mmCIF file of all heavy atoms in Angstrom:
data_model
loop_
_atom_site.group_PDB
_atom_site.id
_atom_site.type_symbol
_atom_site.label_atom_id
_atom_site.label_comp_id
_atom_site.label_asym_id
_atom_site.label_seq_id
_atom_site.Cartn_x
_atom_site.Cartn_y
_atom_site.Cartn_z
ATOM 1 N N LYS A 30 -6.753 -30.941 -10.267
ATOM 2 C CA LYS A 30 -7.094 -31.054 -11.690
ATOM 3 C C LYS A 30 -6.231 -32.099 -12.385
ATOM 4 O O LYS A 30 -6.654 -32.713 -13.360
ATOM 5 C CB LYS A 30 -6.922 -29.705 -12.395
ATOM 6 C CG LYS A 30 -8.016 -28.693 -12.111
ATOM 7 C CD LYS A 30 -7.960 -27.496 -13.048
ATOM 8 C CE LYS A 30 -6.680 -26.720 -12.920
ATOM 9 N NZ LYS A 30 -6.688 -25.460 -13.714
ATOM 10 N N ASN A 43 -9.660 -20.142 9.428
ATOM 11 C CA ASN A 43 -9.761 -18.906 8.657
ATOM 12 C C ASN A 43 -9.703 -19.292 7.186
ATOM 13 O O ASN A 43 -8.622 -19.402 6.600
ATOM 14 C CB ASN A 43 -8.623 -17.959 9.035
ATOM 15 C CG ASN A 43 -8.869 -16.544 8.554
ATOM 16 O OD1 ASN A 43 -9.889 -16.255 7.959
ATOM 17 N ND2 ASN A 43 -7.920 -15.661 8.819
ATOM 18 N N TYR A 92 10.262 -22.327 17.653
ATOM 19 C CA TYR A 92 11.291 -23.366 17.602
ATOM 20 C C TYR A 92 10.854 -24.676 18.261
ATOM 21 O O TYR A 92 10.977 -25.752 17.665
ATOM 22 C CB TYR A 92 12.579 -22.864 18.264
ATOM 23 C CG TYR A 92 13.773 -23.745 17.992
ATOM 24 C CD1 TYR A 92 14.463 -23.644 16.792
ATOM 25 C CD2 TYR A 92 14.214 -24.675 18.935
ATOM 26 C CE1 TYR A 92 15.563 -24.446 16.527
ATOM 27 C CE2 TYR A 92 15.309 -25.482 18.685
ATOM 28 C CZ TYR A 92 15.981 -25.363 17.472
ATOM 29 O OH TYR A 92 17.063 -26.174 17.217
ATOM 30 N N ILE A 157 22.180 -23.525 3.078
ATOM 31 C CA ILE A 157 21.121 -24.444 2.668
ATOM 32 C C ILE A 157 20.963 -24.379 1.149
ATOM 33 O O ILE A 157 20.809 -23.300 0.574
ATOM 34 C CB ILE A 157 19.784 -24.099 3.344
ATOM 35 C CG1 ILE A 157 19.818 -24.498 4.826
ATOM 36 C CG2 ILE A 157 18.603 -24.775 2.644
ATOM 37 C CD1 ILE A 157 18.581 -24.104 5.601
ATOM 38 N N ILE A 179 -18.795 -4.159 -5.977
ATOM 39 C CA ILE A 179 -17.760 -3.212 -5.571
ATOM 40 C C ILE A 179 -17.885 -1.926 -6.388
ATOM 41 O O ILE A 179 -17.990 -1.961 -7.613
ATOM 42 C CB ILE A 179 -16.359 -3.822 -5.775
ATOM 43 C CG1 ILE A 179 -16.184 -5.074 -4.895
ATOM 44 C CG2 ILE A 179 -15.266 -2.815 -5.451
ATOM 45 C CD1 ILE A 179 -14.921 -5.849 -5.186
ATOM 46 N N VAL A 181 -16.407 0.992 -8.240
ATOM 47 C CA VAL A 181 -15.120 1.210 -8.894
ATOM 48 C C VAL A 181 -14.985 2.681 -9.272
ATOM 49 O O VAL A 181 -15.740 3.186 -10.103
ATOM 50 C CB VAL A 181 -14.982 0.333 -10.155
ATOM 51 C CG1 VAL A 181 -13.614 0.558 -10.805
ATOM 52 C CG2 VAL A 181 -15.183 -1.142 -9.818
ATOM 53 N N PRO A 182 -14.035 3.411 -8.680
ATOM 54 C CA PRO A 182 -13.842 4.825 -9.022
ATOM 55 C C PRO A 182 -13.397 4.972 -10.479
ATOM 56 O O PRO A 182 -13.017 4.005 -11.137
ATOM 57 C CB PRO A 182 -12.741 5.282 -8.061
ATOM 58 C CG PRO A 182 -12.671 4.235 -7.012
ATOM 59 C CD PRO A 182 -13.108 2.957 -7.641
ATOM 60 N N LEU A 201 3.502 4.967 1.302
ATOM 61 C CA LEU A 201 2.740 5.148 0.067
ATOM 62 C C LEU A 201 1.838 6.374 0.161
ATOM 63 O O LEU A 201 1.760 7.179 -0.780
ATOM 64 C CB LEU A 201 1.909 3.893 -0.223
ATOM 65 C CG LEU A 201 0.955 3.970 -1.422
ATOM 66 C CD1 LEU A 201 1.685 4.370 -2.700
ATOM 67 C CD2 LEU A 201 0.231 2.640 -1.609
ATOM 68 N N ILE A 215 -6.531 11.926 -9.208
ATOM 69 C CA ILE A 215 -6.294 10.483 -9.259
ATOM 70 C C ILE A 215 -6.259 9.979 -7.820
ATOM 71 O O ILE A 215 -5.406 10.379 -7.034
ATOM 72 C CB ILE A 215 -4.974 10.157 -9.984
ATOM 73 C CG1 ILE A 215 -5.055 10.640 -11.435
ATOM 74 C CG2 ILE A 215 -4.692 8.654 -9.925
ATOM 75 C CD1 ILE A 215 -3.752 10.508 -12.191
ATOM 76 N N GLY A 221 -7.032 -4.076 2.115
ATOM 77 C CA GLY A 221 -6.436 -4.944 3.117
ATOM 78 C C GLY A 221 -6.872 -4.537 4.510
ATOM 79 O O GLY A 221 -7.475 -3.483 4.707
ATOM 80 N N SER A 237 -4.575 16.730 3.811
ATOM 81 C CA SER A 237 -5.321 17.584 2.881
ATOM 82 C C SER A 237 -5.905 16.779 1.725
ATOM 83 O O SER A 237 -6.778 17.263 1.004
ATOM 84 C CB SER A 237 -4.391 18.671 2.325
ATOM 85 O OG SER A 237 -3.284 18.088 1.663
ATOM 86 N N CYS A 238 -5.429 15.530 1.563
ATOM 87 C CA CYS A 238 -5.916 14.663 0.479
ATOM 88 C C CYS A 238 -6.945 13.648 0.973
ATOM 89 O O CYS A 238 -7.201 12.646 0.314
ATOM 90 C CB CYS A 238 -4.739 13.907 -0.158
ATOM 91 S SG CYS A 238 -3.483 14.956 -0.874
ATOM 92 N N PHE A 247 -10.391 -5.489 3.667
ATOM 93 C CA PHE A 247 -10.100 -6.719 2.927
ATOM 94 C C PHE A 247 -11.201 -6.974 1.916
ATOM 95 O O PHE A 247 -12.387 -6.970 2.249
ATOM 96 C CB PHE A 247 -9.983 -7.909 3.888
ATOM 97 C CG PHE A 247 -9.802 -9.228 3.184
ATOM 98 C CD1 PHE A 247 -8.597 -9.529 2.575
ATOM 99 C CD2 PHE A 247 -10.838 -10.147 3.122
ATOM 100 C CE1 PHE A 247 -8.419 -10.746 1.917
ATOM 101 C CE2 PHE A 247 -10.671 -11.362 2.480
ATOM 102 C CZ PHE A 247 -9.461 -11.664 1.876
ATOM 103 N N LEU A 254 -10.983 -4.208 -9.218
ATOM 104 C CA LEU A 254 -10.326 -2.972 -8.789
ATOM 105 C C LEU A 254 -8.882 -2.920 -9.296
ATOM 106 O O LEU A 254 -8.402 -1.872 -9.735
ATOM 107 C CB LEU A 254 -10.357 -2.848 -7.271
ATOM 108 C CG LEU A 254 -11.717 -2.521 -6.650
ATOM 109 C CD1 LEU A 254 -11.669 -2.682 -5.135
ATOM 110 C CD2 LEU A 254 -12.159 -1.113 -7.013
ATOM 111 N N LYS A 259 -5.053 2.528 -12.425
ATOM 112 C CA LYS A 259 -4.034 3.074 -13.331
ATOM 113 C C LYS A 259 -2.700 2.370 -13.106
ATOM 114 O O LYS A 259 -1.938 2.137 -14.049
ATOM 115 C CB LYS A 259 -3.897 4.572 -13.110
ATOM 116 C CG LYS A 259 -3.143 5.311 -14.198
ATOM 117 C CD LYS A 259 -3.288 6.799 -14.050
ATOM 118 C CE LYS A 259 -2.594 7.547 -15.202
ATOM 119 N NZ LYS A 259 -3.303 7.366 -16.485
ATOM 120 N N LEU A 284 2.989 -1.615 -12.952
ATOM 121 C CA LEU A 284 3.461 -1.702 -11.570
ATOM 122 C C LEU A 284 4.460 -0.598 -11.246
ATOM 123 O O LEU A 284 5.250 -0.182 -12.093
ATOM 124 C CB LEU A 284 4.156 -3.047 -11.343
ATOM 125 C CG LEU A 284 3.347 -4.311 -11.623
ATOM 126 C CD1 LEU A 284 4.254 -5.535 -11.499
ATOM 127 C CD2 LEU A 284 2.161 -4.426 -10.686
ATOM 128 N N LYS A 311 12.106 7.334 -0.836
ATOM 129 C CA LYS A 311 10.771 7.928 -0.871
ATOM 130 C C LYS A 311 10.643 9.001 -1.955
ATOM 131 O O LYS A 311 9.580 9.140 -2.581
ATOM 132 C CB LYS A 311 10.432 8.523 0.500
ATOM 133 C CG LYS A 311 10.384 7.487 1.610
ATOM 134 C CD LYS A 311 10.137 8.133 2.967
ATOM 135 C CE LYS A 311 10.204 7.104 4.085
ATOM 136 N NZ LYS A 311 10.003 7.723 5.416
ATOM 137 N N PHE A 326 4.670 7.417 -21.980
ATOM 138 C CA PHE A 326 5.334 6.409 -21.148
ATOM 139 C C PHE A 326 4.310 5.440 -20.557
ATOM 140 O O PHE A 326 4.521 4.224 -20.573
ATOM 141 C CB PHE A 326 6.103 7.100 -20.018
ATOM 142 C CG PHE A 326 6.751 6.139 -19.055
ATOM 143 C CD1 PHE A 326 7.903 5.447 -19.413
ATOM 144 C CD2 PHE A 326 6.215 5.915 -17.791
ATOM 145 C CE1 PHE A 326 8.501 4.553 -18.536
ATOM 146 C CE2 PHE A 326 6.807 5.027 -16.909
ATOM 147 C CZ PHE A 326 7.959 4.345 -17.280
ATOM 148 N N PHE A 341 5.663 -17.566 -15.464
ATOM 149 C CA PHE A 341 4.898 -17.763 -14.230
ATOM 150 C C PHE A 341 3.563 -18.459 -14.489
ATOM 151 O O PHE A 341 2.660 -18.382 -13.657
ATOM 152 C CB PHE A 341 4.644 -16.403 -13.567
ATOM 153 C CG PHE A 341 5.871 -15.550 -13.424
ATOM 154 C CD1 PHE A 341 6.038 -14.412 -14.189
ATOM 155 C CD2 PHE A 341 6.877 -15.905 -12.544
ATOM 156 C CE1 PHE A 341 7.170 -13.616 -14.058
ATOM 157 C CE2 PHE A 341 8.020 -15.127 -12.410
ATOM 158 C CZ PHE A 341 8.168 -13.979 -13.173
#
Side-chain angles (χ1 to χ4, degrees):
K30 285 192 298 187
N43 195 1
Y92 193 80
I157 287 176
I179 298 171
V181 181
L201 175 55
I215 298 173
S237 59
C238 300
F247 175 73
L254 288 169
K259 194 169 183 70
L284 303 173
K311 298 176 185 178
F326 176 75
F341 310 109

